[in-house]
Amino acid sequence: MSQYQQDIQSIENLKAAQGTAWNAISPEYAARMKAQNRFKTGLDIAKYTAGIMRQDMAEYDADSSKYTQSLGCWHGFIGQQKMLAVKKHQGTTSKSYLYLSGWMVAALRSEFGPLPDQSMHEKTSVPALIEELYTFLRQADARELGTLFDQLDAAKANGGDVAAIQAQIDNFETHVVPIVADIDAGFGNEEATYLLAKRMIEAGACCIQIENQVSDAKQCGHQDGKVTVPHEDFLAKINAVRYAFLELGVDDGVIVARTDSLGAGLTQKIPVSQSEGDLAAQYNAFLETNDVNSVDDLGEGDTVMKLDGKLVKPVRLPNGLYKFKEDTGVDRVVLDCITSLQNGADLLWIETEKPHVGQIAEMVNAIREVVPNAKLVYNNSPSFNWTLNFRQQIFDAWSEQGKDTSAYDRNALMSSSYDDSELALEADSKIRTFQADAAREAGIFHHLITLPTYHTAALSTDNLAKGYFGDDGMLAYVKGVQRQEIRQGLACVKHQAMAGSDLGDTHKEYFSGEQALKASGDDNTMNQFDVVA
């Protein structure tokens, strides 16, 4: 017996026990509402999606072609439409996640208005967006199941294939998928990190991404001025997130440890070494220093330390920050990643300055010499100029092969004049296969784009505004938006139904019977879209 049938029987028994008081209650209607609300709390979601993510990680370890993907979503509706589209076009939500970007929260969801990605937004806006995303995904479930229930009723009334529709209900695949949620650098000390992590998990997050920058000096990963913290400080925050998962019963919650060391040349603190070669000593070995031979080599207030048997002073900037040696970023990344995995993290995030499979693979291979199953979450960032980067990569590869590149100006490869050239077509082919190539060659388990829906909203609005306020007038909307919605089968063309009017009508009929005042009658203009496209 299916869960749906079990629920009908269970509620039938409850109804019988109440005598005549529950005469108006339909066990089947109640079972439908229960099916449409499978996840009662955010913790239910976090526990369910953590299991999915762990299974996906194991499948990737066995077969790197089974990588996962996500797009960053800054509103519940955007997340909902994304997952509806994934399910429509791919036939399943498997291996598809949501990403919550701290950048987009800062830019689009702060009460202060648009802010830079510097942890200046309200920390509560992060769990609020997680809850909002899952509210919209649960509504997508309710809406699609409602359609199936309508079809089931019609089949029963008209002698249709009841069993086939019932099978679709019993095997319904939810739109609720894992979310990789950005906690920035923890918004404070380890206790602040723990408190915020709890709120995020309670809202539904099964996976929390945290970075090794200084919390109060946090910068976007693709901007200058990044300052990292010693390993001990970062590991304390990883512990804080793990304790939050365990306290809330999400025992298989996932932690992504992000390192910004590749582009960060500064540290705020010099950690205290307790023994030769410990983590603090390894961190301090990367500091840029000057030898101290006498007190005359010191300025007022200079810091002096013993390093590798010598007395040195670390180079300190006027703002009090200390510099790392040049060209140590890769080695610091590798140490960061190994240390994080050995101390509680599950996945890695290496913030790079360009999308280059070889560069990423070099670091991952070094990490895997110590932790063989190391896996990455990677930012397919809109901060990269993908067109220029890949055209230059092909140009450089051709040059190394001795192929004639005289027809191309390496510094001007972004030009549209190259769009149909052999070089541009090969670059586009590499962009198309980047995710599969990097999953296979560079240990990337999860590919995400942090800010895609920020850019798509801007581009589509620009195109609509150009035409609507120009010569095309209303045709700009009709031809560019509505006609495309109809012909591509977008459910939101019936925006009233997408917002819940049909669900509301169904509930009113459950509650009030024939007295229900419904919105979906003959005069509802949404009926105009019941046409063959």
Side-chain angles (χ1 to χ4, degrees), residues 34 70 76 121 134 142 186-187 230 258 260 281 332 453 466 490:
K34 190 172 181 180
S70 67
H121 54 281
Y134 281 127
F187 286 85
R258 169 175 149 178
D260 281 281
R332 285 184 281 123
T453 52
K466 178 176 66 175
L490 267 68

Side-chain angles (χ1 to χ4, degrees), residues 262-388:
L262 194 62
L266 303 169
T267 185
Q268 190 178 54
K269 289 171 61 176
I270 297 176
V272 177
S273 177
Q274 303 294 334
S275 61
E276 185 175 349
D278 64 8
L279 273 178
Q282 293 177 68
Y283 189 80
N284 292 338
F286 291 116
L287 293 170
E288 183 176 329
T289 61
N290 294 318
D291 291 347
V292 175
N293 298 308
S294 71
V295 71
D296 294 331
D297 293 332
L298 300 174
E300 188 70 22
D302 271 351
T303 299
V304 179
M305 61 189 300
K306 179 183 176 182
L307 196 62
D308 292 333
K310 297 190 300 183
L311 199 62
V312 298
K313 64 174 182 179
V315 174
R316 186 167 59 174
L317 302 182
N319 56 16
L321 299 173
Y322 297 94
K323 288 184 66 177
F324 288 116
K325 297 173 186 174
E326 295 291 332
D327 301 321
T328 61
V330 170
D331 290 336
R332 285 184 281 123
V333 163
V334 172
L335 179 60
D336 291 345
C337 291
I338 292 171
T339 300
S340 294
L341 290 175
Q342 290 178 333
N343 290 273
D346 302 293
L347 295 168
L348 302 170
W349 174 316
I350 300 174
E351 196 69 86
T352 66
E353 83 287 359
K354 60 182 180 291
H356 192 291
V357 173
Q359 178 200 36
I360 304 164
E362 178 187 358
M363 292 182 284
V364 171
N365 289 337
I367 296 163
R368 284 184 163 179
E369 289 179 7
V370 181
V371 186
N373 68 339
K375 293 180 284 296
L376 267 65
V377 171
Y378 187 72
N379 179 7
N380 295 253
S381 176
S383 292
F384 302 143
N385 185 331
W386 286 78
T387 301
L388 183 61

Side-chain angles (χ1 to χ4, degrees), residues 36-58:
Q36 289 170 301
N37 187 26
R38 172 180 174 182
F39 303 99
K40 306 301 185 287
T41 69
L43 278 178
D44 291 339
I45 292 172
K47 292 174 183 178
Y48 168 76
T49 54
I52 290 175
M53 200 163 177
R54 290 289 180 177
Q55 180 179 338
D56 288 345
M57 290 162 66

Side-chain angles (χ1 to χ4, degrees), residues 506-525:
T506 299
H507 289 162
K508 284 187 276 187
E509 190 170 11
Y510 290 174
F511 307 153
S512 303
E514 294 181 357
Q515 299 178 40
L517 181 64
K518 298 193 290 185
S520 57
D522 293 340
D523 292 333
N524 189 319
T525 57

Side-chain angles (χ1 to χ4, degrees), residues 15-32:
K15 177 180 177 179
Q18 297 298 320
T20 59
W22 283 20
N23 277 353
I25 300 298
S26 163
E28 185 159 16
Y29 291 168
R32 291 179 179 186

Side-chain angles (χ1 to χ4, degrees), residues 41-48 50 127 130 183 193-208 239-253:
T41 69
L43 278 178
D44 291 339
I45 292 172
K47 292 174 183 178
Y48 168 76
I130 296 169
I183 200 173
T193 301
Y194 154 75
L195 292 171
L196 179 55
K198 276 185 62 177
R199 290 287 299 274
M200 292 168 68
I201 297 162
E202 288 168 340
C206 73
C207 177
I208 293 178
N239 289 339
V241 176
R242 180 62 66 202
Y243 274 111
F245 274 126
L246 293 173
E247 177 183 337
L248 295 171
V250 186
D251 297 344
D252 50 358

Side-chain angles (χ1 to χ4, degrees), residues 447-461:
H447 283 277
L448 60 90
I449 309 179
T450 46
L451 320 175
T453 52
Y454 179 91
H455 292 280
T456 54
L459 180 61
S460 60
T461 302

